[in-house]
Amino acid sequence: MQLLDYRPDECESLFHEKTEGALRLLSRLALPDPVKHASPPSGFRLRAEFRVWHDGNALHYAMFPPGDSRSPRVIDNFPIVGPRITEAMAPLRARLQRSTELRRKLFQVEFLSTLSGELLVTLIYHRPLDESWRAQALELAEALSCKIIGRSRKQKLVLDTDWVEEMIEVGGQHYRYRQPEQCFTQPNGIINQKMMTWLLAQCVTTDTDLLELYCGIGNFTLPLSQRFRNVLATELSKPATAAARWNAEHNKTSNIELARLSAEEMTAAMADERPFRRLAHLKQALNQYHFETLLADPPRAGLDEATRALAGNFTRVLYISCSPETLARDLATLSVTHEVESLAFFDQFPYTHHLESGVVLKKKAV
């Protein structure tokens, strides 16, 4: 996390500046008018992490300027975090400060919360943790009504579970999500819900199949599964794939298959370049799917060259991007075969230069 330039009165205008910058990058393309989804100016972030600064007997949350580990900025409050984190920050710091056992060589505190009110706190240390630590951490968890994890080098002590459970309504249906610690989840829960709703609205019910790359814990997979005959969702992270599988099973979906493959590996599999044992469990062979739609939510690096070529073969491409620069590069390639049907911007990260975009592309008529 970066230091906060908190300007709530300018939140909407800052978002407008980012969208205008993105449109300049995409200016060579024929674009529809974008839909813009602004974030609340405060209380939107569901995860946060702070270094711990020890100043004599005092203990503070702190952040540091980039490249400067000797100039802590003490954080007394952090207005962008959600209510569950806000409620816990001060009492947690006070209890840590009073406990020699809990504060000793404490290096960092990480918060993971949900819109539905759960909270998981991870305490990271530069020392081994023992039963004395566990006993006091259990008291801390009970006092704050939260889950606690202790971490140090090669050690992880989970006092309850290492995940929180979220409940999100999309298109009139409620979905349960297990969100593990240290798996990527969308940090702005309100904007994430808007992204899910927007994506669902872009898809009509069809008897064709969806291929999803970078599915994470199944954030978009679950609601979109109601629109397609089958969904094959891929993700490289082992814990994220396990969470996505749990989420699919506990939401009683029957048409989602998951495979632990990178986008590059899935592209190779689709081209029949080599067999992958991690696809052997599928209910049907890869060539028996009737894929017409591709959903990709890549990291900031965007799509690699081979995956861009793969996307060119699909009738429709749903692209969620967190980097306007790599989005512009990828769309320059895809515009040879596709045209942009819908465009949306989402202020997932207010007060930063980062911008989330949603693009729907359809195959050009021959």
Coordinates of all heavy atoms in Angstrom, one line a residue, residues 228-269:
F228 N -24.0 -19.2 -19.0 CA -23.4 -20.1 -20.0 C -23.7 -21.6 -19.7 O -24.0 -22.0 -18.6 CB -21.9 -19.9 -20.0 CG -21.5 -18.5 -20.5 CD1 -21.4 -17.5 -19.6 CD2 -21.3 -18.3 -21.8 CE1 -21.0 -16.2 -20.0 CE2 -20.9 -17.0 -22.3 CZ -20.8 -16.0 -21.4
R229 N -23.6 -22.4 -20.7 CA -23.8 -23.8 -20.6 C -22.7 -24.4 -19.7 O -23.0 -25.1 -18.7 CB -23.8 -24.5 -22.0 CG -24.1 -26.0 -21.9 CD -23.9 -26.6 -23.3 NE -22.6 -26.6 -23.8 CZ -22.2 -27.1 -24.9 NH1 -23.0 -27.8 -25.7 NH2 -20.9 -27.0 -25.3
N230 N -21.5 -24.1 -20.0 CA -20.4 -24.6 -19.1 C -19.4 -23.4 -19.0 O -19.3 -22.6 -19.9 CB -19.6 -25.8 -19.8 CG -20.5 -27.0 -19.8 OD1 -20.9 -27.5 -18.8 ND2 -20.8 -27.5 -21.0
V231 N -18.6 -23.4 -17.9 CA -17.6 -22.5 -17.7 C -16.3 -23.3 -17.3 O -16.3 -24.1 -16.4 CB -17.9 -21.5 -16.5 CG1 -16.7 -20.6 -16.3 CG2 -19.1 -20.7 -16.8
L232 N -15.2 -23.0 -18.0 CA -13.9 -23.6 -17.7 C -13.1 -22.4 -17.2 O -12.8 -21.5 -18.0 CB -13.3 -24.3 -18.9 CG -11.8 -24.8 -18.7 CD1 -11.7 -25.7 -17.4 CD2 -11.3 -25.5 -19.9
A233 N -12.7 -22.4 -16.0 CA -12.0 -21.2 -15.4 C -10.6 -21.7 -14.9 O -10.5 -22.7 -14.3 CB -12.8 -20.7 -14.2
T234 N -9.6 -20.9 -15.3 CA -8.2 -21.3 -15.0 C -7.6 -20.2 -14.1 O -7.9 -19.0 -14.1 CB -7.4 -21.4 -16.3 OG1 -7.3 -20.1 -16.9 CG2 -8.1 -22.4 -17.2
E235 N -6.6 -20.7 -13.3 CA -5.9 -19.8 -12.3 C -4.6 -20.6 -11.9 O -4.7 -21.8 -11.7 CB -6.8 -19.6 -11.1 CG -6.1 -18.9 -9.9 CD -5.4 -17.6 -10.2 OE1 -6.1 -16.8 -10.9 OE2 -4.3 -17.4 -9.8
L236 N -3.5 -19.9 -11.8 CA -2.2 -20.5 -11.5 C -2.1 -20.7 -10.0 O -1.5 -21.7 -9.6 CB -1.1 -19.7 -12.1 CG 0.3 -20.3 -11.9 CD1 0.4 -21.6 -12.5 CD2 1.4 -19.3 -12.4
S237 N -2.5 -19.8 -9.2 CA -2.3 -19.9 -7.8 C -3.0 -21.1 -7.2 O -4.3 -21.2 -7.3 CB -2.8 -18.6 -7.1 OG -3.0 -18.8 -5.7
K238 N -2.3 -21.9 -6.4 CA -2.9 -23.1 -5.8 C -3.9 -22.8 -4.8 O -5.1 -23.3 -4.8 CB -1.8 -24.0 -5.2 CG -2.3 -25.3 -4.7 CD -1.2 -26.2 -4.1 CE -0.3 -26.7 -5.3 NZ 0.7 -27.7 -4.7
P239 N -3.7 -21.8 -3.8 CA -4.7 -21.5 -2.8 C -5.9 -20.8 -3.4 O -7.0 -21.0 -3.0 CB -4.0 -20.6 -1.8 CG -2.7 -20.2 -2.4 CD -2.4 -21.2 -3.4
A240 N -5.7 -20.0 -4.4 CA -6.8 -19.3 -5.1 C -7.7 -20.3 -5.8 O -8.9 -20.3 -5.8 CB -6.3 -18.2 -6.0
T241 N -7.1 -21.3 -6.5 CA -7.8 -22.3 -7.2 C -8.6 -23.2 -6.2 O -9.8 -23.5 -6.4 CB -6.9 -23.3 -8.0 OG1 -6.1 -22.5 -8.9 CG2 -7.6 -24.3 -8.8
A242 N -8.0 -23.5 -5.0 CA -8.7 -24.3 -4.0 C -9.9 -23.5 -3.5 O -11.0 -24.0 -3.3 CB -7.8 -24.6 -2.9
A243 N -9.8 -22.2 -3.3 CA -10.9 -21.3 -2.8 C -12.0 -21.3 -3.9 O -13.2 -21.3 -3.6 CB -10.4 -19.9 -2.5
A244 N -11.6 -21.1 -5.2 CA -12.6 -21.1 -6.3 C -13.4 -22.4 -6.3 O -14.6 -22.3 -6.5 CB -11.8 -20.8 -7.6
R245 N -12.7 -23.5 -6.1 CA -13.4 -24.8 -6.1 C -14.4 -24.8 -5.0 O -15.5 -25.3 -5.1 CB -12.4 -25.9 -6.1 CG -13.0 -27.3 -6.2 CD -11.9 -28.3 -6.5 NE -11.4 -28.2 -7.9 CZ -10.2 -27.9 -8.2 NH1 -9.3 -27.6 -7.3 NH2 -9.8 -27.8 -9.5
W246 N -14.0 -24.4 -3.8 CA -14.9 -24.4 -2.6 C -16.1 -23.5 -2.9 O -17.2 -23.8 -2.6 CB -14.1 -23.9 -1.4 CG -14.9 -24.0 -0.1 CD1 -14.9 -25.0 0.8 CD2 -15.9 -23.0 0.4 NE1 -15.7 -24.7 1.9 CE2 -16.4 -23.5 1.6 CE3 -16.3 -21.8 -0.1 CZ2 -17.3 -22.8 2.4 CZ3 -17.3 -21.1 0.7 CH2 -17.8 -21.6 1.9
N247 N -15.8 -22.3 -3.5 CA -16.9 -21.3 -3.8 C -17.8 -21.9 -4.8 O -19.1 -21.7 -4.6 CB -16.2 -20.0 -4.3 CG -15.5 -19.3 -3.2 OD1 -15.7 -19.5 -2.0 ND2 -14.5 -18.5 -3.6
A248 N -17.3 -22.6 -5.8 CA -18.2 -23.2 -6.8 C -19.1 -24.3 -6.2 O -20.3 -24.3 -6.4 CB -17.4 -23.8 -7.9
E249 N -18.5 -25.1 -5.3 CA -19.3 -26.2 -4.7 C -20.3 -25.7 -3.7 O -21.4 -26.2 -3.7 CB -18.3 -27.1 -4.0 CG -17.4 -27.9 -4.9 CD -16.3 -28.7 -4.2 OE1 -16.2 -28.6 -2.9 OE2 -15.6 -29.5 -4.8
H250 N -20.0 -24.7 -2.9 CA -20.9 -24.2 -1.9 C -21.9 -23.2 -2.4 O -22.8 -22.9 -1.6 CB -20.1 -23.6 -0.7 CG -19.4 -24.7 0.1 ND1 -18.3 -25.3 -0.3 CD2 -19.7 -25.2 1.3 CE1 -17.9 -26.2 0.7 NE2 -18.8 -26.1 1.6
N251 N -21.8 -22.8 -3.6 CA -22.9 -22.0 -4.2 C -23.7 -22.9 -5.2 O -24.5 -22.4 -5.9 CB -22.3 -20.9 -5.0 CG -21.8 -19.7 -4.1 OD1 -22.6 -18.9 -3.7 ND2 -20.5 -19.7 -3.7
K252 N -23.5 -24.2 -5.1 CA -24.3 -25.2 -5.7 C -24.3 -25.0 -7.2 O -25.4 -25.2 -7.9 CB -25.7 -25.3 -5.1 CG -25.7 -25.7 -3.7 CD -27.1 -25.8 -3.1 CE -27.2 -26.5 -1.7 NZ -26.2 -26.0 -0.8
T253 N -23.2 -24.6 -7.8 CA -23.1 -24.5 -9.3 C -22.7 -25.9 -9.8 O -21.9 -26.6 -9.2 CB -22.1 -23.5 -9.7 OG1 -20.8 -23.8 -9.2 CG2 -22.5 -22.1 -9.2
S254 N -23.2 -26.3 -10.9 CA -22.9 -27.6 -11.5 C -22.2 -27.5 -12.8 O -21.9 -28.5 -13.4 CB -24.2 -28.4 -11.6 OG -25.1 -27.7 -12.5
N255 N -22.0 -26.3 -13.3 CA -21.4 -26.2 -14.7 C -20.1 -25.5 -14.7 O -19.7 -25.0 -15.8 CB -22.4 -25.4 -15.6 CG -22.6 -24.0 -15.1 OD1 -22.5 -23.7 -13.9 ND2 -23.0 -23.1 -16.0
I256 N -19.4 -25.4 -13.5 CA -18.1 -24.8 -13.5 C -17.0 -25.8 -13.3 O -17.1 -26.7 -12.4 CB -18.0 -23.8 -12.3 CG1 -19.0 -22.6 -12.5 CG2 -16.6 -23.3 -12.2 CD1 -19.0 -21.7 -11.3
E257 N -16.0 -25.8 -14.2 CA -14.8 -26.7 -14.0 C -13.6 -25.7 -13.8 O -13.6 -24.6 -14.4 CB -14.6 -27.5 -15.3 CG -15.7 -28.5 -15.6 CD -15.3 -29.9 -15.1 OE1 -14.8 -30.0 -14.0 OE2 -15.3 -30.8 -15.9
L258 N -12.7 -26.2 -13.0 CA -11.5 -25.3 -12.6 C -10.3 -26.1 -13.0 O -10.2 -27.3 -12.8 CB -11.6 -25.0 -11.2 CG -12.7 -24.0 -10.8 CD1 -13.2 -24.2 -9.4 CD2 -12.1 -22.5 -10.9
A259 N -9.3 -25.4 -13.5 CA -8.0 -26.0 -13.8 C -6.9 -25.0 -13.3 O -7.0 -23.8 -13.6 CB -7.9 -26.2 -15.3
R260 N -5.9 -25.6 -12.7 CA -4.8 -24.8 -12.2 C -3.7 -24.7 -13.3 O -2.7 -25.4 -13.3 CB -4.2 -25.4 -10.9 CG -3.3 -24.4 -10.2 CD -2.8 -24.9 -8.8 NE -2.0 -26.1 -8.9 CZ -0.7 -26.0 -9.1 NH1 -0.1 -24.9 -9.3 NH2 0.0 -27.2 -9.2
L261 N -3.9 -23.7 -14.2 CA -3.0 -23.4 -15.3 C -2.9 -21.9 -15.4 O -3.8 -21.1 -15.1 CB -3.6 -23.9 -16.6 CG -3.7 -25.5 -16.8 CD1 -4.5 -25.7 -18.1 CD2 -2.4 -26.1 -16.8
S262 N -1.7 -21.5 -15.9 CA -1.5 -20.1 -16.2 C -2.2 -19.8 -17.5 O -2.6 -20.7 -18.3 CB 0.0 -19.8 -16.3 OG 0.6 -20.5 -17.5
A263 N -2.3 -18.5 -17.8 CA -2.9 -18.2 -19.1 C -2.1 -18.7 -20.3 O -2.6 -19.1 -21.3 CB -3.1 -16.6 -19.2
E264 N -0.8 -18.6 -20.1 CA 0.1 -19.1 -21.2 C 0.0 -20.6 -21.4 O -0.1 -21.1 -22.5 CB 1.6 -18.8 -20.8 CG 1.9 -17.3 -20.8 CD 1.6 -16.6 -19.5 OE1 1.0 -17.3 -18.6 OE2 1.8 -15.4 -19.4
E265 N -0.2 -21.4 -20.3 CA -0.4 -22.8 -20.4 C -1.7 -23.1 -21.0 O -1.8 -24.0 -21.9 CB -0.3 -23.5 -19.0 CG 1.1 -23.5 -18.5 CD 1.2 -23.9 -17.0 OE1 0.2 -23.6 -16.2 OE2 2.2 -24.5 -16.6
M266 N -2.8 -22.4 -20.7 CA -4.1 -22.6 -21.2 C -4.1 -22.3 -22.7 O -4.7 -23.0 -23.5 CB -5.1 -21.8 -20.5 CG -6.6 -22.2 -20.9 SD -6.9 -23.9 -20.3 CE -8.1 -24.4 -21.6
T267 N -3.4 -21.3 -23.1 CA -3.2 -20.9 -24.5 C -2.6 -22.1 -25.3 O -3.0 -22.5 -26.4 CB -2.4 -19.6 -24.7 OG1 -3.1 -18.6 -24.0 CG2 -2.2 -19.3 -26.1
A268 N -1.5 -22.7 -24.7 CA -0.8 -23.8 -25.3 C -1.8 -25.0 -25.4 O -1.8 -25.7 -26.4 CB 0.4 -24.1 -24.5
A269 N -2.6 -25.2 -24.4 CA -3.5 -26.3 -24.4 C -4.6 -26.2 -25.5 O -4.9 -27.1 -26.2 CB -4.2 -26.5 -23.0

